[in-house]
Amino acid sequence: EKPRSAHDEL
Amino acid sequence: MNIFRLLGDLSHLASILILLQKIQSTRSCRGISFKTQALYATVFITRYLDLFYDWVSLYNFVMKIFFIASSCYVLYLMKYKYRPTHDPSIDTFRVEYLLGPCAVLALLFHYRFTLPELLWSFSIFLESVAILPQLFMLQRTGEAETITTHYLAALGAYRALYIPNWIYRWFTEDMVDPIAVTAGIVQTALYLDFFYVYFTKVLQGQKFELPA
């Protein structure tokens, strides 16, 4: 499954 | 975290402080689109639901709280404290034309079919166009107070700075987020006209005025 890519951005 | 993202976030932070300063110092929200501000509050609330179940960092947490709180505070200022200074008759962009398509896009493009992920996608798409009621208003009135243009410039610079951040992350972390990147490029592109006038007029000490 795709990592929660830009979820660490604001 | 890299320098582009940090500068982008600081620019975002600065834009909100400039907006608050504009409202408090002129005791007026003239020239500010309530619709755009309401869309931003929607963006932050739908995107930052992960505050409740996902810990990224203290920095991330504090910024999210600040963005949600400040956007709600701006809505309060516009709706109650400085209500008479807001003229809805020039803030006429139809937000349903933005909300509907963004909801459809979120249903089509998302990373997982779960409510938080759908709302996250929706918030990304909505953020990219949330400035349109504000730019539409600017277009209608043809002019803006200088402090308002500084607010818009800082807000535009924020997403523009995220673009080198994504390029940097592509190379250093092998990370790519097609939804955020596509929406971010659209969002930045919407500011190009504004930036042109900002750089050629406001930063040269002239008033922000669009050609008639």
Side-chain angles (χ1 to χ4, degrees):
Chain A
E1 209 159 336
K2 180 114 179 55
R4 291 160 50 82
S5 35
H7 283 53
D8 60 339
E9 292 177 350
L10 289 162
Chain B
M1 177 59 73
N2 57 62
I3 187 71
F4 305 111
R5 183 145 56 118
L6 181 64
L7 289 176
D9 289 344
L10 292 179
S11 181
H12 197 182
L13 203 62
S15 75
I16 293 167
L17 297 176
I18 295 169
L19 176 62
L20 289 171
Q21 169 67 20
K22 175 253 168 328
I23 296 174
Q24 308 282 14
S25 67
T26 63
R27 302 190 55 79
S28 154
C29 43
R30 194 168 73 90
I32 303 297
S33 163
F34 181 81
K35 289 182 174 178
T36 280
Q37 296 306 320
L39 290 178
Y40 280 127
T42 309
V43 164
F44 295 137
I45 291 166
T46 51
R47 187 179 308 165
Y48 298 156
L49 287 175
D50 63 354
L51 268 175
F52 295 105
Y53 57 85
D54 208 5
W55 179 263
V56 179
S57 64
L58 182 63
Y59 169 85
N60 191 277
F61 178 83
V62 171
M63 293 292 252
K64 282 175 175 170
I65 297 284
F66 176 80
F67 288 133
I68 292 176
S70 60
S71 62
C72 292
Y73 181 57
V74 168
L75 290 184
Y76 157 76
L77 290 178
M78 295 190 77
K79 199 77 194 166
Y80 298 101
K81 195 161 178 200
Y82 298 114
R83 188 188 182 97
T85 64
H86 174 246
D87 181 3
S89 70
I90 50 167
D91 191 12
T92 51
F93 195 93
R94 301 285 296 269
V95 287
E96 50 273 42
Y97 293 156
L98 302 178
L99 292 168
C102 287
V104 173
L105 281 173
L107 287 171
L108 293 174
F109 303 100
H110 49 261
Y111 294 129
R112 282 178 204 163
F113 197 78
T114 62
L115 188 62
E117 285 293 316
L118 289 173
L119 287 174
W120 181 86
S121 270
F122 171 74
S123 82
I124 294 284
F125 293 125
L126 187 60
E127 185 191 342
S128 70
V129 292
I131 198 63
L132 286 177
Q134 177 68 62
L135 294 178
F136 184 68
M137 198 165 145
L138 210 62
Q139 199 71 243
R140 279 193 68 161
T141 54
E143 54 162 44
E145 291 167 71
T146 301
I147 191 164
T148 303
T149 66
H150 293 327
Y151 159 65
L152 287 168
L155 194 57
Y158 140 68
R159 221 47 175 176
L161 281 159
Y162 261 67
I163 295 174
N165 153 64
W166 290 318
I167 296 171
Y168 183 87
R169 294 191 82 178
W170 167 280
F171 287 109
T172 58
E173 299 170 42
D174 203 22
M175 194 231 58
V176 60
D177 184 323
I179 294 176
V181 171
T182 312
I185 291 171
V186 170
Q187 185 172 346
T188 306
L190 293 180
Y191 283 88
L192 292 179
D193 258 4
F194 166 81
F195 274 138
Y196 177 77
V197 182
Y198 184 73
F199 283 115
T200 57
K201 284 203 169 171
V202 180
L203 289 188
Q204 315 294 328
Q206 299 173 43
K207 191 174 161 46
F208 183 96
E209 267 176 328
L210 296 174

